[in-house]
Amino acid sequence: MRILKDLLRSPAGALGLGMLALTLLATLLTPLLSPYDPFALDFGNTLLPPSQAHWFGTDNFGRDIFTRVMAGAVYDLRLALICVFGPMAFGVMIGLISGFFGGRIDAALMRLTDIVWAFPFYVLVLAIVGVLGPSEANLYIAFFIVNWIGYARIVRGETLLIGRLEFIEATRVLRFGKAQIMLRHILPNAVTPALVYSMSDVVLTVQAVAALSFFGLGVQPPAPEWGLLIVESIDYMREAPWMTIAPGLAIVWIGIAFSLLGEGLSVALKPKG
Amino acid sequence: MIPKLKFRSLLMATAVAATGLTAPAASWAETLRVAMGYDPVSLDPIATSDNGSIWTQLLIYDTLIRPDKSGTGLEPGLAESWTVSEDGLTLTFKLRDAKFSDGSPVTAEDVQYSIERAGSKASGWGRFFNPITGFEIVSDHEIVMTLDKPFTPAFNNLALFAAAILPKKLLEEKGETFFDAPVGSGPFVMADWTRGASITLEKNPYYWQAGKPAVDEAVLEVVTEPSARAIKLEAGEVDVALDPPLNQLDALAAKDGITTGEVIPYRADFVLMNTTREPFGDVRVRQALNYAVDKEALVKGVLYGRGKPAASAMPVMKYADPGLAPYPYDPAKAKALLAEAGYPDGFEAELVVDSGKATSRNAAIALQAMLQQVGVRLKVQMLESGTQWQTTKAGNYDMAVSYTTSDTIDPDQIIGFVAVNPERANAYHTQWQDERLNALYAEERRTVNSPEREAMFQEMVQRLHDGAPFVFLFHPATAWAERDYVKGFEILPTSNFRLEDVTLDK
């Protein structure tokens, strides 16, 4: 609760949280309020420009783009959150173990991160999805394999640092159990920078998911995932630019929201005093 | 002989600009630039079946005979004249005085060598040519081919790109490397090939049609994205754009300096159903899906009205039955048939689609929505072109969006491909089998061109229509857009194009 208060006190955090709340609200309300089905074809109303009836216009199948972009938020947010927080949980634990125990365990785990780190992000994700085949589940697998590295490294560094602080020395002297020291005393302090990093990671992941759909390796049609909306709009970009602009703006919007939230979090989570 | 264009033109332009003089027209080398969606795989005619390769080969090589521009008859190519014996067993060709692009003459020996090669085991098109068993070289300019038993398509097959006449001596000398810089007797000769980017063709100075080609050079630029081809044309970077997006055609035609053209080539689009998998083994299910698809809406929504609904997998061509009507759009009947087959609540199936083809992509999305209405839930799987093809070929699919085009004017090639099993493709990888159709196919090939042969084709197509191993979709138009100064360019019903008659009226 204190964190939330601090977060709301910072202008960036408040704005980011507000934007996200608005997005969630709109996503939840659109199916109730919009008269359109995001999947139903209507060949009588194709490629209509934005109007009062169709806020973002219609696409080549006559589907309402506003409704589709809103329905797409569910896909992109779900993908981004699972692709970030799943690997994050794993990465944090690895980092904690690595930093706490040190020695051979640390060396082995860090060499493993080096290996994954050596590949450019997209090359590795493309290779994994390419082998497994395009589907949402495989996208999760690919991101999981690649995304935990960053968190492991951050948390390891923090753990090393915190492990040398006096209050941890104190827990050792008091003969606290290893698990207790790690989970109760180091983790809460070490996880902060990882949490801040995760916000910018969400932004990158939304973009990456959209990009993979763009290559045909992500979510499959007719899902209104934003990257897919953009790839489907390519041939119509010149006569119906709204088909491209609307999902493009959605990606930018959600990117800004999470960036601001990350900014706010970094302020709110900064140790006091 | 032929000036290296770009640099020289540039120099010339600079000179003209500097002096204000008009350059004499004759010294300008004319280049025709064509944006094409395909990247040719190989220039070996017996090893290819992709459009990019075929179209390019047809600009470099000649065949003895070739489909005429209307796609309804055959016209002389390297053969000046020919006779086919009454029983169809003896084909005699008189060759014209033609030369390969290296200056050596085209002889009957080259013809024998090339046709034997096309019919050999190494050839992907062997079955089209191996019924020709005997060759007799009468003179350098006359050759007689004989068949052991009647095979009516043999003559027509000689108009296929795979029957291109190649220089025996050179090919034997160079082996496979010949095709990196091939020599043919066609209107153009390859000057440069940058894979994935462009093929530069220069005028063949020895071409047998005097005064042709009209342009000195033709560049085929590989531009895979349809919109990008249209944009390049508008920007003046190319003179002709093949296959611009159909939805942009009207807007392109309205632009100053741009003309568009379209033709419905010998092409049919459809959805394959893997009849070895449930529930597609049941003809009622297959027919139900045909009734559940609104073809008129597809033509309107996916082709923007440029095409027509299809009644079968055979393009509208010679021997096609103009009276055969497409399955009407009747969701109620579809539901009834599904219920009868034991699927009152429909079923789930996966549909694989080539992600690179806008028409297939859009058709798949429309189909998904249409079949949903009768309870059939499609999971669309967009795959990269090559993967989609391999998956389909290997039979690892439920349903797949695909199409076929005919390279010849005789429907034997197409029917053999889409309907006959066992044959080359086992009814286009649907594994559908119809004994009567197989028998008719064998019979048709023994029957000389006649109303009887026509009736056989029509019965085969009717059986294909009723057996419905495909969801028949449409016959789409193929379009092109060109700058106004391009004269004489057209896409032929066989989907390819000739460039020797094209002039640039700048």
Side-chain angles (χ1 to χ4, degrees):
Chain A
M1 274 301 103
R2 214 203 66 228
I3 293 175
L4 189 66
K5 230 183 247 167
D6 284 344
L7 186 63
L8 287 172
R9 210 169 285 146
S10 83
L15 191 57
L17 212 58
M19 285 170 80
L20 267 185
L22 192 66
T23 311
L24 285 178
L25 197 69
T27 310
L28 293 175
L29 287 182
T30 303
L32 301 174
L33 299 179
S34 163
Y36 306 108
D37 176 337
F39 301 104
L41 311 189
D42 179 1
F43 287 122
N45 286 308
T46 58
L47 301 175
L48 296 179
S51 66
Q52 216 151 17
H54 299 282
W55 293 356
F56 291 174
T58 63
D59 69 5
N60 56 316
F61 290 113
R63 298 175 295 196
D64 180 60
I65 295 175
F66 179 77
T67 311
R68 280 178 71 72
V69 168
M70 284 304 151
V74 179
Y75 287 87
D76 282 84
L77 287 177
R78 180 175 71 213
L79 275 158
L81 296 181
I82 296 178
C83 288
V84 169
F85 293 108
M88 178 175 159
F90 182 69
V92 166
M93 287 325 288
I94 294 289
L96 198 60
I97 291 168
S98 195
F100 186 79
F101 291 102
R104 279 192 190 165
I105 296 177
D106 184 35
L109 288 172
M110 284 305 114
R111 290 304 77 74
L112 186 64
T113 64
D114 285 344
I115 291 169
V116 184
W117 202 254
F119 291 95
F121 174 77
Y122 276 104
V123 172
L124 198 54
V125 171
L126 281 176
I128 297 168
V129 178
V131 170
L132 297 176
S135 80
E136 200 175 318
N138 291 341
L139 216 56
Y140 293 143
I141 296 175
F143 274 93
F144 198 94
I145 294 175
V146 180
N147 255 5
W148 64 274
I149 305 295
Y151 298 100
R153 293 195 152 195
I154 291 171
V155 172
R156 173 185 174 266
E158 286 296 309
T159 306
L160 283 176
L161 215 67
I162 296 165
R164 292 196 201 100
L165 296 182
E166 280 166 10
F167 78 101
I168 299 296
E169 292 294 322
T171 61
R172 289 211 171 102
V173 172
L174 292 169
R175 298 193 172 273
F176 280 21
K178 278 186 177 142
Q180 196 188 0
I181 300 176
M182 268 167 69
L183 298 175
R184 294 273 308 269
H185 301 282
I186 299 183
L187 182 62
N189 293 291
V191 83
T192 307
L195 210 58
V196 173
Y197 172 71
S198 73
M199 290 300 119
S200 53
D201 201 17
V202 170
V203 179
L204 293 175
T205 306
V206 168
Q207 287 172 6
V209 165
L212 285 171
S213 299
F214 188 87
F215 293 134
L217 289 172
V219 181
Q220 298 292 312
E225 195 278 319
W226 296 336
L228 208 53
L229 292 187
I230 292 178
V231 73
E232 284 172 0
S233 74
I234 290 179
D235 282 341
Y236 307 92
M237 210 184 272
R238 293 192 303 160
E239 50 180 319
W242 52 89
M243 274 182 75
T244 319
I245 292 171
L249 283 179
I251 295 175
V252 171
W253 168 271
I254 213 76
I256 292 175
F258 274 103
S259 298
L260 289 173
L261 192 62
E263 182 86 24
L265 268 182
S266 72
V267 175
L269 295 172
K270 196 181 272 171
K272 298 284 177 314
Chain B
M1 287 299 292
I2 295 133
K4 275 276 163 259
L5 285 265
K6 284 188 185 123
F7 185 57
R8 180 157 163 188
S9 315
L10 199 70
L11 278 182
M12 195 69 92
T14 320
V16 171
T19 58
L21 290 173
T22 319
S27 67
W28 284 88
E30 280 194 316
T31 302
L32 173 70
R33 300 156 304 169
V34 179
M36 173 165 94
Y38 302 95
D39 187 17
V41 174
S42 156
L43 294 180
D44 184 350
I46 67 164
T48 44
S49 58
D50 61 295
N51 280 334
S53 304
I54 295 170
W55 298 345
T56 310
Q57 287 164 18
L58 288 170
L59 300 173
I60 297 175
Y61 308 125
D62 272 322
T63 42
L64 288 174
I65 46 176
R66 59 184 190 177
D68 64 20
K69 283 190 173 178
S70 71
T72 53
L74 295 165
E75 64 178 28
L78 281 178
E80 201 163 48
S81 64
W82 57 83
T83 53
V84 179
S85 68
E86 196 97 329
D87 58 8
L89 292 178
T90 313
L91 316 174
T92 311
F93 294 92
K94 283 217 162 61
L95 307 182
R96 67 176 78 247
D97 249 331
K99 284 190 171 120
F100 289 109
S101 58
D102 66 347
S104 61
V106 179
T107 65
E109 209 179 332
D110 296 315
V111 173
Q112 177 179 352
Y113 175 76
S114 304
I115 305 302
E116 276 180 338
R117 185 171 180 272
S120 69
K121 284 217 169 61
S123 166
W125 301 88
R127 288 173 186 226
F128 283 70
F129 305 104
N130 59 25
I132 300 173
T133 45
F135 294 86
E136 189 200 333
I137 294 176
V138 181
S139 72
D140 266 1
H141 286 93
E142 189 172 345
I143 183 163
V144 181
M145 303 182 193
T146 51
L147 290 77
D148 288 340
K149 47 182 195 264
F151 183 69
T152 308
F155 177 68
N156 172 78
N157 287 351
L158 292 171
L160 199 66
F161 64 92
I165 306 303
L166 308 168
K168 177 184 181 190
K169 196 161 154 265
L170 215 58
L171 184 50
E172 278 181 338
E173 229 170 70
K174 289 196 169 174
E176 284 307 302
T177 59
F178 171 87
F179 296 105
D180 297 335
V183 167
S185 61
F188 292 93
V189 53
M190 204 183 77
D192 178 62
W193 183 7
T194 313
R195 277 185 190 269
S198 70
I199 287 196
T200 304
L201 301 168
E202 282 173 0
K203 182 178 181 164
N204 171 7
Y206 299 101
Y207 188 51
W208 51 268
Q209 291 198 63
K212 292 182 184 178
V215 295
D216 302 304
E217 188 183 55
V219 179
L220 305 179
E221 279 189 40
V222 179
V223 184
T224 48
E225 195 61 51
S227 286
R229 293 196 290 274
I231 292 168
K232 269 181 153 322
L233 179 77
E234 278 180 48
E237 288 171 31
V238 294
D239 307 309
V240 178
L242 302 177
D243 264 324
L246 288 175
N247 57 298
Q248 292 180 17
L249 216 54
D250 289 335
L252 276 172
K255 293 228 156 72
D256 267 350
I258 291 179
T259 319
T260 60
E262 60 186 291
V263 60
I264 295 188
Y266 297 155
R267 167 170 167 159
D269 289 40
F270 39 73
V271 179
L272 320 179
M273 288 177 276
N274 188 345
T275 62
T276 62
R277 288 197 182 173
E278 283 316 312
F280 303 111
D282 192 323
V283 65
R284 289 169 299 191
V285 170
R286 301 196 301 263
Q287 288 178 342
L289 299 196
N290 272 289
Y291 283 115
V293 171
D294 185 352
K295 282 130 223 137
E296 296 286 352
L298 284 179
V299 168
K300 185 166 176 268
V302 176
L303 303 178
Y304 308 91
R306 299 190 150 88
K308 46 189 170 188
S312 89
M314 180 162 134
V316 182
M317 59 193 297
K318 193 176 176 184
Y319 295 156
D321 180 357
L324 186 65
Y327 279 87
Y329 175 51
D330 189 346
K333 182 149 192 187
K335 272 194 162 151
L337 279 168
L338 282 174
E340 212 180 292
Y343 297 93
D345 303 320
F347 55 87
E348 216 168 275
E350 200 176 88
L351 176 68
V352 295
V353 184
D354 180 343
S355 59
K357 299 211 165 66
T359 307
S360 299
R361 224 163 47 207
N362 286 335
I365 293 168
L367 279 171
Q368 196 177 35
M370 286 173 182
L371 294 185
Q372 185 100 47
Q373 306 299 314
V374 299
V376 175
R377 297 167 300 280
L378 292 186
K379 234 184 97 206
V380 172
Q381 185 82 296
M382 297 279 173
L383 297 174
E384 176 270 325
S385 190
T387 317
Q388 197 246 2
W389 178 237
Q390 289 307 329
T391 309
T392 312
K393 216 171 160 178
N396 290 326
Y397 74 98
D398 295 337
M399 298 170 76
V401 182
S402 196
Y403 68 90
T404 182
T405 54
S406 180
D407 303 298
T408 75
I409 61 171
D410 190 276
D412 176 79
Q413 179 200 9
I414 281 286
I415 285 292
F417 193 64
V418 302
V420 183
N421 179 16
E423 241 285 356
R424 215 153 43 97
N426 293 345
Y428 206 155
H429 312 299
T430 61
Q431 300 298 335
W432 176 73
Q433 199 167 34
D434 183 278
E435 290 307 333
R436 170 74 185 146
L437 190 147
N438 284 355
L440 281 164
Y441 178 62
E443 188 61 31
E444 158 272 308
R445 309 188 113 188
R446 288 193 292 265
T447 311
V448 291
N449 283 324
S450 58
E452 288 81 56
R453 188 161 183 254
E454 177 169 12
M456 289 172 197
F457 274 109
Q458 296 193 346
E459 192 185 338
M460 284 192 275
V461 171
Q462 181 71 50
R463 296 194 77 84
L464 184 68
H465 175 88
D466 296 339
F470 309 95
V471 180
F472 308 114
L473 302 179
F474 41 66
H475 304 294
T478 292
W480 71 92
E482 62 194 12
R483 305 297 309 192
D484 280 343
Y485 52 75
V486 178
K487 305 284 178 214
F489 179 88
E490 62 181 319
I491 291 177
L492 306 179
T494 40
S495 294
N496 63 308
F497 46 88
R498 293 189 196 162
L499 297 181
E500 66 264 30
D501 296 328
V502 177
T503 55
L504 299 178
D505 187 13
K506 283 195 196 179

